Amino acid sequence: MKLRKVTAASAAALVLALTATACGGDSKDDDTSSSASAGSGGGGKIKVGIKYDQPGLGLKKPDGSFAGFDVDVATYVAKQLGYQPDQIEFVETKSADRENALARGDVKFIAATYSINDERKKKVDFAGPYLLAHQDLLIKSDSDISKGTDLNGKKLCSVVGSTSAQNVKKTIAPDAKLKQVSSYSECIAGLQSGAVDAVTTDDSILAGFASQDQYKGKFKLAGLKLSNENYGVGVKKGDTATVDKINKALEQMVSDGSWDKAVKDNFGPANYKNEPAPKIGVIVPNAS
């Protein structure tokens, strides 16, 4: 009888252990596909893609913390999904790897100067847009450049592979002297030293650099609005539930004033004349 009792007890313990193991296996702290409710007090984490090297937008600081408009947007959205700041793991997602990062499930969503266009929409879904940026020029505060044609004969800097500089040469200033480098930081340093006369890319990116302490008051945006860049939050293709939740979070961010505060905090020192917060689902096309 004692043997049967011990055996029964052992069997019961085994069943309980297996049940606990099975339940534990369904919960991963770093599960990027966790629902918003899983983040609400459940100890889960959410992985979010951002840039690490764009001041004012997505920047990893020397102390390991993160700052920028995209970071503020991502943090606000994650909170609306049920995650506190200490439950967010920011993952560097460079431009060339954004679609793959979402497809692999490396991140739940991406907020990284991710312009919405038809080609990208074939591979990922977008919430937003949450910012309307424009291609522009960054010039010295005392520069006499006031229109695109003023760049003829001047030195224009952009990064290798950028379409921004090519756009200027093809449509505005064919005689601009193009200098291509590996990073916008190099362009900004060249602008400061006088090695180049202007830097071109999205005005939000330029404003972020100009807002850095060492550059405050030295540069200005030309305000040319050479293109429309509708920044969206990238989500894995087919994940419409997450898109809907993020859209609601973005609407809330605008309505409660957090969006305006984030713009001023991150771009204010550059006197960035931002567009009003865009309407969800409304894409502003480029002029044909």
Side-chain angles (χ1 to χ4, degrees):
M1 291 297 291
K2 284 185 178 181
L3 179 60
R4 281 197 294 271
K5 287 181 179 179
V6 170
T7 302
S10 299
L14 179 60
V15 169
L16 288 172
L18 289 173
T19 302
T21 302
C23 292
D26 288 338
S27 176
K28 297 180 181 179
D29 285 347
D30 61 352
D31 184 3
T32 61
S33 63
S34 297
S35 65
S37 60
S40 302
K45 289 185 178 293
I46 185 170
K47 292 183 179 179
V48 179
I50 61 168
K51 295 287 184 65
Y52 275 19
D53 59 354
Q54 289 184 339
L57 287 154
L59 182 69
K60 184 175 183 178
K61 298 193 289 187
D63 64 1
S65 62
F66 299 92
F69 182 73
D70 283 345
V71 174
D72 289 346
V73 169
T75 301
Y76 189 98
V77 167
K79 185 174 182 180
Q80 296 301 307
L81 295 180
Y83 297 88
Q84 296 302 312
D86 62 356
Q87 293 176 290
I88 303 171
E89 180 180 342
F90 287 117
V91 178
E92 183 177 23
T93 50
K94 297 182 178 180
S95 296
D97 194 45
R98 288 179 296 204
E99 287 82 16
N100 291 331
L102 288 170
R104 291 191 302 260
D106 295 346
V107 293
K108 185 67 173 176
F109 64 84
I110 293 175
T113 61
Y114 205 177
S115 296
I116 302 171
N117 60 41
D118 290 339
E119 190 62 30
R120 288 171 178 162
K121 288 197 298 186
K122 295 176 183 177
K123 301 175 182 177
V124 303
D125 286 335
F126 284 99
Y130 63 89
L131 182 71
L132 176 60
H134 307 284
Q135 184 189 341
D136 201 355
L137 302 176
L138 188 68
I139 53 182
K140 282 191 172 181
S141 296
D142 60 356
S143 174
D144 59 359
I145 296 174
S146 61
K147 55 185 183 296
T149 53
D150 290 340
L151 286 171
N152 282 313
K154 300 290 181 65
K155 296 175 183 176
L156 176 66
C157 190
S158 193
V159 299
V160 175
S162 168
T163 59
S164 299
Q166 298 299 334
N167 181 38
V168 170
K169 282 187 66 67
K170 287 180 181 178
T171 63
I172 300 170
D175 294 327
K177 299 174 183 178
L178 179 58
K179 180 176 182 180
Q180 293 180 300
V181 295
S182 60
S183 70
Y184 286 113
S185 295
E186 292 180 62
C187 281
I188 302 300
L191 182 62
Q192 183 180 31
S193 69
V196 299
D197 300 298
V199 182
T200 187
T201 186
D202 296 356
D203 54 5
S204 57
I205 296 174
L206 297 173
F209 277 104
S211 294
Q212 291 182 287
D213 289 340
Q214 65 267 39
Y215 298 134
K216 287 180 181 178
K218 296 180 179 180
F219 304 137
K220 64 182 180 181
L221 291 163
L224 300 186
K225 297 185 178 181
L226 302 174
S227 70
N228 294 319
E229 306 296 335
N230 300 270
Y231 290 176
V233 177
V235 177
K236 187 175 183 178
K237 190 70 176 175
D239 190 358
T240 55
T242 297
V243 169
D244 291 343
K245 291 175 183 176
I246 293 176
N247 279 335
K248 290 178 182 177
L250 293 174
E251 290 175 340
Q252 178 66 27
M253 186 177 187
V254 172
S255 66
D256 69 13
S258 297
W259 188 91
D260 283 324
K261 182 178 185 303
V263 169
K264 292 176 183 176
D265 288 348
N266 293 292
F267 303 127
N271 195 27
Y272 176 50
K273 295 178 176 61
N274 62 284
E275 298 281 2
K279 300 293 184 183
I280 298 300
V282 177
I283 307 299
V284 179
N286 287 304
S288 55

